Amino acid sequence: MRDLFTTGTPQTIADVLHSKDERVHRQQQLLTQFPQGTVVALKMNVPGPIKTNAELQELFIAGQRQFEAQFQDVKQLQTPIVTTTSAGTEVFYVFAVAGTTAKQRAMTFEDQEPLGRLFDADVFTSNQQHYSRSTMGYPVRRCFLCDRPAKECGRNRTHSVAELQTYFNQVATEVLGDD
């Protein structure tokens, strides 16, 4: 089985929060630049201090391809913007589609076993609306280890980093094969 977490630069909480601030800034820039578009930010929820390395990048690219398949018939208003830092990889899309449609397609991807479960696709429109599962009347995402609400498990630290990383390693092995 692959081990995705043997190389990479460990990140601190401050690094991760800085990355989040940068993501919000990029989303706002794109919404200002493309007020008629829908912005989708795709990232992988990587457990633990290692957020990127060559193997995690390979897994991200596999997920990105699956995600883009959900939008192959939708016009893009800009070439996707990919950012990779030691805090992880993100890609920003601007689609010419309604926010609700983008979120429904993003949820279809996120619910795909096993790879989509590792990703979050945030959807925004220029009227500052963030489309979430709950605002659209869908149930919240479930934890991939115990099927309780994912945010609840994250907030309560129900599962150890090692357990979550084992799941990631299993998915990587299933999707990408053994080393």
Side-chain angles (χ1 to χ4, degrees):
M1 181 165 58
R2 287 177 177 254
D3 187 353
L4 302 176
F5 302 97
T6 58
T7 63
T9 304
Q11 299 297 289
T12 65
I13 296 296
D15 296 328
V16 173
L17 291 175
H18 177 72
S19 177
K20 183 178 180 180
D21 290 343
E22 291 293 316
R23 181 172 44 259
V24 169
H25 180 71
R26 175 64 59 114
Q27 289 165 349
Q28 291 304 314
Q29 283 180 321
L30 290 170
L31 289 169
T32 299
Q33 187 177 356
F34 299 97
Q36 75 285 14
T38 295
V39 173
V40 180
L42 181 69
K43 67 180 187 62
M44 203 163 47
N45 293 317
V46 181
I50 303 296
K51 301 296 183 189
T52 193
N53 56 36
E55 286 195 298
L56 285 166
Q57 188 66 21
E58 185 180 2
L59 192 62
F60 184 91
I61 290 168
Q64 182 182 1
R65 284 188 189 119
Q66 283 186 8
F67 175 82
E68 288 175 354
Q70 296 294 325
F71 290 88
Q72 63 188 357
D73 63 330
V74 176
K75 179 181 177 188
Q76 292 190 40
L77 301 178
Q78 174 175 309
T79 302
I81 299 169
V82 179
T83 61
T84 301
T85 67
S86 54
T89 299
E90 301 168 321
V91 62
F92 298 87
Y93 300 89
V94 182
F95 293 116
V97 67
T100 53
T101 301
K103 186 60 180 179
Q104 287 169 336
R105 290 181 184 208
M107 287 187 304
T108 298
F109 163 72
E110 289 174 339
D111 292 340
Q112 285 180 357
E113 295 284 350
L115 197 49
R117 300 280 316 263
L118 306 181
F119 285 81
D120 267 342
D122 292 324
V123 177
F124 300 90
T125 55
S126 63
N127 63 358
Q128 305 303 317
Q129 181 161 356
H130 173 243
Y131 293 85
S132 69
R133 288 172 181 258
S134 59
T135 61
M136 291 187 50
Y138 290 92
V140 297
R141 285 188 82 176
R142 309 309 288 180
C143 173
F144 40 69
L145 294 180
C146 72
D147 205 40
R148 288 199 309 251
K151 285 188 179 182
E152 178 184 306
C153 286
R155 183 177 50 249
N156 296 336
R157 301 188 189 277
T158 303
H159 311 288
S160 70
V161 169
E163 289 173 303
L164 296 167
Q165 288 177 340
T166 296
Y167 180 79
F168 259 70
N169 289 331
Q170 290 168 344
V171 169
T173 300
E174 182 179 329
V175 171
L176 304 173
D178 273 328
D179 285 326

